[in-house]
Amino acid sequence: MQVQKEAYDPYGKLFSFVPQFSFTLDGNRTMQNDMTGTVRFDNVQPGTHVVSETSVFGWNLFAVTPQNGAVTVNPGPQCAVVNFKNVQVVPASSS
């Protein structure tokens, strides 16, 4: 199973590298993405699984596909994919 992460600046521009985020499969296997935004969970059994993202200060999650990170892994070589998209938050000025 693969997780693909996209990160956007506050103005909607896609980052060419992706900051590190943590993703958890079925509440018990946690991994972090590489600089391309990719995480790969190997040896996932066929069935329905849920991938979640750990919140990171300064970032807002605005899209997960499929919905709620719930994905069906089928037998065979095809890799199931879950996509997460976050936008960086601009801190409010204290003036």
Side-chain angles (χ1 to χ4, degrees):
M1 174 187 302
Q2 182 171 306
V3 174
Q4 193 59 50
K5 177 67 171 177
E6 293 179 12
Y8 295 84
D9 72 15
Y11 310 101
K13 182 179 177 191
L14 184 64
F15 280 101
S16 58
F17 67 93
V18 179
Q20 206 164 55
F21 289 82
S22 294
F23 300 90
T24 303
L25 173 63
D26 295 333
N28 61 15
R29 288 176 60 188
T30 300
M31 297 183 71
Q32 295 179 326
N33 61 279
D34 63 18
M35 64 186 281
T36 68
T38 303
V39 175
R40 187 170 177 105
F41 289 98
D42 293 324
N43 301 314
V44 177
Q45 296 298 313
T48 301
H49 299 275
V50 177
V51 179
S52 60
E53 176 186 279
T54 302
S55 297
V56 175
F57 179 77
W59 292 90
N60 282 343
L61 177 65
F62 71 88
V64 180
T65 308
Q67 187 174 0
N68 299 319
V71 64
T72 300
V73 173
N74 294 312
Q78 189 169 4
C79 187
V81 178
V82 181
N83 295 294
F84 288 82
K85 296 181 181 184
N86 285 69
V87 63
Q88 192 175 32
V89 177
V90 177
S93 64
S94 57
S95 49

